[in-house]
Amino acid sequence: MKVRAVDFVQIQVRDMDRALGFYRDALGMPVGQAWGDEWVELAAGDTTIALAAEVEGVSVALSVDSVSDAVEELRAKGVEVVVGPQGNEWCASAAIRDPEGNLVVLHQRHDGTVG
């Protein structure tokens, strides 16, 4: 498995309006894509920060060439896959935990872009 880039960093939020007030207004980060109170993306240079209601803590999404191949390879190495593989019209993803318990998302955009 080859990691191509960091696609985004997810940050758990309990109050999207309050979080947006901080990241957008106080830090000056421009808002990109948004899906209501569940997911809002902000630009931090070449990195996307995703404010998300459905995640725990902070996690990183790593771009891979193929989520299904990465999952197969990691399972063969004894890594537990905790979510997925799953997909939607934009991407495929799966999630694992590192040895410290941090969530790591394996991410593949259907359009082939990264970062």
Side-chain angles (χ1 to χ4, degrees):
M1 181 184 90
K2 178 185 174 197
V3 174
R4 299 174 64 200
V6 172
D7 269 347
F8 55 90
V9 175
Q10 298 177 116
I11 300 174
Q12 176 187 28
V13 298
R14 291 178 187 82
D15 182 328
M16 189 63 74
D17 290 333
R18 184 179 65 189
L20 273 173
F22 178 75
Y23 288 96
R24 179 192 58 211
D25 302 335
L27 297 182
M29 296 169 64
V31 175
Q33 298 275 354
W35 289 268
D37 285 343
E38 299 299 316
W39 184 275
V40 176
E41 296 179 353
L42 299 115
D46 292 335
T47 303
T48 297
I49 302 295
L51 305 179
E54 297 292 323
V55 302
E56 58 181 70
V58 176
S59 60
V60 62
L62 304 175
S63 174
V64 296
D65 289 325
S66 168
V67 168
S68 58
D69 289 350
V71 163
E72 185 177 317
E73 180 181 332
L74 291 169
R75 281 187 173 141
K77 293 178 179 178
V79 176
E80 179 187 4
V81 177
V82 296
V83 175
Q86 60 189 15
N88 59 38
E89 63 186 278
W90 301 283
C91 65
S93 64
I96 59 174
R97 292 205 183 273
D98 72 10
E100 297 296 318
N102 299 301
L103 194 67
V104 177
V105 176
L106 306 173
H107 188 251
Q108 173 191 0
R109 291 186 182 138
H110 296 315
D111 68 6
T113 60
V114 301

